[in-house]
Amino acid sequence: MCAEIDGTLNLDPDDLKKRITSRTRAVLVVHMLGTPARLPEIAEVCRANNLVLIEDTAWGCGGNLHGIPLGTWGDIGTFSFDFAKTMTTGEGGMIVFKNYGTYAKAAAWHDHGHENNPVVPRWEDTRSGSGFNFRMNELQGAVGLAQLDKLAGVVTTQRANREHIWNAIQDIPGIEPRIVPEGAYETADALVFLVRNHQLAAKCRECLIQVGLSTKILPEAYTWHFSGTWTHMPELVAAHGGNLYEAFPQSISFLDRAVSLPITVRMADDIPKKARSALQSALQG
Ligand SMILES: *Cc1c(COP(=O)(O)O)cnc(C)c1O
């Protein structure tokens, strides 16, 4: 079962409340494109309903809300280190846990069921369940540690670069900023804003491409990342009454007109100016 997003383009805590049933066990929140969801409200809904909170922090690595790192607000935080993420090990990721027992189960599960019992050699290891090989190898670990040293600098630079672009475009009529929760420290992997309608969002992308720039996920990859279009998943369709296209009107009202510009660490000086002229011709031309 999926819930609506709000103006942060992340899980809407008010809609979440309405969708909880006696069968709900956990809430999975995504910090989409590097901006934190409304975590205090979402965590409160989870506490009140005794639900496990899982944060998909694939896009929130290095960000925080009120100084608390994303991925550590909930019971479980998942991170992706694929090649396109803020920090990378080529492929792979990491999961962090609040509860030691849950951590130990997951650690065994990702390591052929090994409990890594210190009092016995590995070949006599204790086990309580089956498992897979989802281990990250040591070479990736070494890359990850080097990347970790760079993380704070990467995020700081992305934030500064995003600010340069935002300052160049924010006064263009028809541009509406994404809503950011109070106390958010975003990873600024993207600059997301809303325009009046889907046609204009598509036109923004066209005009950006004409000046050699691009967009990131929105609007072009909207159907890949939005569960309201995942009609290939019969269980999801059934959970939403058989008509997925009518299940998320609020989410569509935001996603339909969202534009996301990629932010890089090394940014050419003329990019803010180019973005401005492209968006001016899309929205005013
Ligand atoms: C990249 C990403 C994933 C997938 O991560 P993998 O490491 O490819 O499994 C999941 N969720 C979000 C929000 C992502 O950005």
Side-chain angles (χ1 to χ4, degrees), residues 10-24:
N10 294 318
L11 179 63
D12 176 0
D14 295 323
D15 187 63
L16 167 64
K17 266 185 234 164
K18 293 182 211 151
R19 304 218 182 206
I20 291 169
T21 71
S22 59
R23 300 183 56 212
T24 310

Side-chain angles (χ1 to χ4, degrees), residues 107-114 122 127 129-135:
W109 194 71
H110 101 303
D111 186 15
H112 295 311
H114 273 283
R122 188 164 166 90
R127 58 210 159 187
S130 55
F132 290 89
N133 174 6
F134 288 154
R135 296 184 301 256

Side-chain angles (χ1 to χ4, degrees), residues 87-89 136-149:
M87 70 173 258
T88 181
T89 57
M136 176 182 281
N137 67 49
E138 294 199 8
L139 293 174
Q140 286 176 296
V143 172
L145 287 175
Q147 286 272 299
L148 190 57
D149 286 339

Side-chain angles (χ1 to χ4, degrees), residues 62-101:
N64 70 64
L65 189 67
H66 296 299
I68 301 171
L70 302 182
T72 69
W73 275 79
D75 302 286
I76 298 174
T78 65
F79 294 79
S80 169
F81 302 143
D82 87 19
F83 74 99
K85 297 303 197 272
T86 310
M87 70 173 258
T88 181
T89 57
E91 270 293 352
M94 176 178 82
I95 312 183
V96 298
F97 300 85
K98 278 251 161 72
N99 176 279
Y100 183 80

Side-chain angles (χ1 to χ4, degrees), residues 179-192:
I179 290 170
V180 178
E182 193 201 318
Y185 186 81
E186 303 164 89
T187 65
D189 196 44
L191 165 54
V192 184

Side-chain angles (χ1 to χ4, degrees), residues 2-237:
C2 297
E4 298 268 29
I5 59 165
D6 59 26
T8 66
L9 305 191
N10 294 318
L11 179 63
D12 176 0
D14 295 323
D15 187 63
L16 167 64
K17 266 185 234 164
K18 293 182 211 151
R19 304 218 182 206
I20 291 169
T21 71
S22 59
R23 300 183 56 212
T24 310
R25 296 288 175 270
V27 171
L28 174 57
V29 59
V30 185
H31 306 299
M32 198 66 187
L33 287 156
T35 294
R38 294 186 203 276
L39 283 167
E41 293 91 334
I42 292 166
E44 184 46 43
V45 174
C46 291
R47 260 192 302 277
N49 293 278
N50 200 23
L51 304 173
V52 171
L53 176 57
I54 305 169
E55 290 178 73
D56 177 337
T57 323
W59 239 318
C61 184
N64 70 64
L65 189 67
H66 296 299
I68 301 171
L70 302 182
T72 69
W73 275 79
D75 302 286
I76 298 174
T78 65
F79 294 79
S80 169
F81 302 143
D82 87 19
F83 74 99
K85 297 303 197 272
T86 310
M87 70 173 258
T88 181
T89 57
E91 270 293 352
M94 176 178 82
I95 312 183
V96 298
F97 300 85
K98 278 251 161 72
N99 176 279
Y100 183 80
T102 317
Y103 154 78
K105 261 191 212 169
W109 194 71
H110 101 303
D111 186 15
H112 295 311
H114 273 283
E115 289 181 331
N116 285 299
N117 188 331
V119 304
V120 288
R122 188 164 166 90
W123 61 91
E124 287 173 12
D125 203 357
T126 49
R127 58 210 159 187
S128 331
S130 55
F132 290 89
N133 174 6
F134 288 154
R135 296 184 301 256
M136 176 182 281
N137 67 49
E138 294 199 8
L139 293 174
Q140 286 176 296
V143 172
L145 287 175
Q147 286 272 299
L148 190 57
D149 286 339
K150 298 182 186 171
L151 179 62
V154 166
V155 171
T156 308
T157 310
Q158 286 184 168
R159 288 169 60 89
N161 288 345
R162 188 180 65 167
E163 198 62 19
H164 287 316
I165 301 182
W166 180 240
N167 287 339
I169 66 168
Q170 61 173 329
D171 67 322
I172 299 173
I175 286 189
E176 186 187 322
R178 176 188 196 172
I179 290 170
V180 178
E182 193 201 318
Y185 186 81
E186 303 164 89
T187 65
D189 196 44
L191 165 54
V192 184
F193 55 87
L194 303 178
V195 293
R196 273 188 299 274
N197 57 48
H198 188 63
Q199 287 69 25
L200 283 174
K203 200 163 165 222
C204 285
R205 177 172 159 80
E206 245 171 63
C207 292
L208 286 160
I209 287 172
Q210 272 166 21
V211 299
L213 302 182
S214 190
T215 52
K216 179 169 186 166
I217 309 291
L218 296 166
E220 76 280 8
Y222 170 4
T223 61
W224 184 261
H225 292 269
F226 171 45
S227 55
T229 67
W230 296 347
T231 49
H232 63 294
M233 294 172 74
E235 67 285 9
L236 182 71
V237 177

